[in-house]
Structure formats: structure tokens, C-alpha cells
Amino acid sequence: MSIAVFGSINMDVTAYMHRLPKPGETLQGKEYKLGLGGKGANQAVAARKLGSEVAFVCRLGSDDFARPAERELASYGVDLSLVAKDEDGATGIAIINVGEGGENYISLIGGSNLRLDATDVARARPALEKARVLLLQLEVPLAASLEAAAVVRARGGTVILDPAPAPEGGLAAEVLQAVDIITPNETEAGLILGWQPTTPEDGLRAARELRARGVATAVVKLGAKGLAVAGPGLEAIIPAFRVTPIDTVAAGDSFNGGLAHALEQGKPLEQALRYAAACGALSTTKKGASAAAPTKAEVDAFLAQQ
């Protein structure tokens, strides 16, 4: 497989609100949707919709949420052979509130996602050894993710870590050294570094600090302010694309799926980041998580207009 994803799969219950409720407040919403989510599934679908072959290593429960999750994955053409089921487990779910401007807050219940371990790495080894790019997140146990990373890197593949949700205590240097590219947003960079970037210049400083801690390439996503990258032979601030967002859920996952696809296709890093930024921007113009990821045709048409 060209791209492997080792990570989480959820069903998302998303409520669309006129505004986000305050603590203790009950509000009437506009509508809700039930759809595929989880950072791993979102990334896998995002890369697949762009045309990459994707092997997705994950765990579902054996409950009523598992069937629609599998059905949606299959509808996008994601390889299901490495999707395991826990007979006594529950499929992960996310409860999401989305405000009028696309801002959101999310509650996760990990379920079977939290059971990924070395046995999953072992059953996925043939696919991991063939992968040119591996996508990781932090919604599954870190130890298993690092084992998967070691398999891919031993065969010359590239490992991309989206450090979300970022742990309160940050990430140890050995974690940063175990991956090739890290892609935090401002909040995640703040939790890792102890200070939060707020400007593009701050983002570049943060990317440099992450490199100093051991990762080869750091990409700090700054939303509408663009992104900052520090890597071998490249330090740059890349402006954001102008869109009108309606739902920012999974924009980072579409970004990472787009980055993996572009690198797997042989694009140089700066060009791959611009492509990924277009994927993330386009995803905010649609509702949903996996469903909002753009197709290759949509990204190509969008970039042709820029």
C-alpha cells in the first residue's frame, strides 16, 4: 500500500448550533448528523479520496455503531482487511457541537480505539512494510503507534504525526525523534512547547523549537493565518487559502491526508504543504468529518483558480 494509517475510528454525532452553549446552558440546535469520524478514519478517507491506496489499521467494537462505520469506509474505497473487531468492545464515538462560524468542541469516548497494541502492529506488518507514508495521531495508545512507526521507517518510509489530542505534559524527545514530520496546530504546539504561537512569526519559532527537540520537519498550523514550516533546507510561512468556513471539524485530518498523498506522489515538501493546505481549507466548506474531505478533482480545480 502507498499510505498506511494507524489510528482511531469513531462514529460522530454532530449537532449544528446557532452558537455554542455556555457551561450549564441548554440550547436548541438546528440539526444533527451521524457520520464516520475519528482522526485515523478521517485521514484514511482524505488520502483515499485524493486517489492514494490506503491501508487502515484500526479497531471497532461489535455494536450498532460498527456496521455504519464499516459501510462508510467501504464506500470510500478504503481497504478494510486490517479493520479488527473487539467482540466485547464498544466502537469509539465523538459528540460534537458546531457553532455558526464553524468553531467546535468535541467530547471523545475512545472505546476499542484504546485497545490498539503490538498485536495490531504484527497483523499489519506486511502493509506497514510496503507503506511509503504512515499517518499517526494520538487518539490511540502511543506505544503501539511508535511500534508501527519503527516498522515503516526501517523500510525507508516517512512517518507523519498529528499530535492531537496533545497530552497536557507535552511529548518526550524520543517521541519527536521517532517520526519524520509533526503537524500541530497552535494549541497543540503550545501544550508541547509550553507557550502558544499566535502569529506566523511565532509559528516559525515554534517549528524551529520542535526541530531542536528532535523531529526532522515541523509544520505548525495557524488556521486562517496560514502555516509555518521548519525542515531540512526549508523554513517558510505559507499563507492560508481564503474560504468561508461552515464546519472546521477534521480540517487538520484533511490537511494531513493531503500532505501524505502529495508526498507519496513525489511532490517536494513546500509544494506538498500548499496542496495539503488546500485540502484543509476545502474541508471547512462542507459539513461532517470524513465526508467533508475533498476529492482530487475538487482540489485541482481549487488550486487552478488561485
Side-chain angles (χ1 to χ4, degrees):
M1 289 294 173
S2 298
I3 294 175
V5 181
F6 190 92
S8 57
I9 181 169
N10 297 327
M11 287 302 291
D12 290 350
V13 183
T14 305
Y16 292 94
M17 315 292 292
H18 295 286
R19 65 172 174 83
L20 296 178
K22 300 171 184 176
E25 183 181 24
T26 300
L27 291 177
Q28 287 283 356
K30 295 186 289 185
E31 62 176 324
Y32 79 92
K33 291 185 179 294
L34 180 67
L36 182 67
K39 297 191 74 63
N42 295 339
Q43 291 178 354
V45 169
R48 181 68 190 118
K49 289 174 79 171
L50 296 170
S52 288
E53 294 296 319
V54 179
F56 181 28
V57 189
C58 65
R59 288 199 189 200
L60 289 167
S62 294
D63 52 14
D64 289 341
F65 281 133
R67 287 186 289 277
E70 278 192 308
R71 191 163 55 244
E72 282 206 52
L73 273 180
S75 73
Y76 294 118
V78 176
D79 177 17
L80 300 184
S81 63
L82 296 173
V83 178
K85 279 193 177 180
D86 288 330
E87 293 304 320
D88 60 344
T91 300
I93 64 168
I95 301 168
I96 305 169
N97 280 287
V98 179
E100 194 73 47
E103 72 279 8
N104 64 82
Y105 61 74
I106 302 171
S107 299
L108 287 175
I109 296 89
S112 290
N113 291 316
L114 303 180
R115 296 187 177 189
L116 278 170
D117 59 21
T119 63
D120 297 289
V121 178
R123 66 185 174 83
R125 181 173 286 272
L128 294 171
E129 290 178 342
K130 293 176 185 176
R132 296 185 63 183
V133 182
L134 171 67
L135 286 166
L136 299 175
Q137 331 80 43
L138 295 180
E139 290 182 345
V140 300
L142 180 59
S145 294
L146 294 181
E147 284 194 46
V151 173
V152 171
R153 293 182 95 192
R155 293 298 184 101
T158 297
V159 178
I160 302 173
L161 171 64
D162 183 356
E168 290 288 342
L171 292 173
E174 52 264 32
V175 176
L176 297 175
Q177 293 162 9
V179 303
D180 300 290
I181 302 173
I182 192 167
T183 63
N185 63 21
E186 310 104 301
T187 301
E188 293 147 7
L191 288 168
I192 295 169
L193 296 173
W195 63 276
Q196 183 166 323
T198 58
T199 67
E201 292 72 23
D202 284 348
L204 191 54
R205 176 186 157 205
R208 289 171 179 151
E209 285 193 22
L210 288 166
R211 281 204 78 202
R213 296 191 184 194
V215 68
T217 300
V219 179
V220 179
K221 298 173 292 188
L222 301 161
K225 299 171 187 174
L227 60 89
V229 55
L234 176 64
E235 288 195 0
I237 295 169
I238 298 175
F241 291 100
R242 290 182 177 273
V243 295
T244 301
I246 62 170
D247 184 350
T248 59
V249 172
D253 301 328
S254 287
F255 176 95
N256 276 34
L259 178 59
H261 170 76
L263 292 175
E264 181 258 323
Q265 293 293 306
K267 294 183 188 295
L269 179 60
E270 189 167 4
Q271 188 178 346
L273 287 170
R274 188 168 183 272
Y275 187 90
C279 294
L282 282 172
S283 75
T284 70
T285 65
K286 301 178 185 178
K287 292 181 178 180
S290 290
T295 64
K296 183 179 185 301
E298 289 171 332
V299 179
D300 289 346
F302 179 74
L303 287 172
Q305 296 169 359
Q306 301 305 307

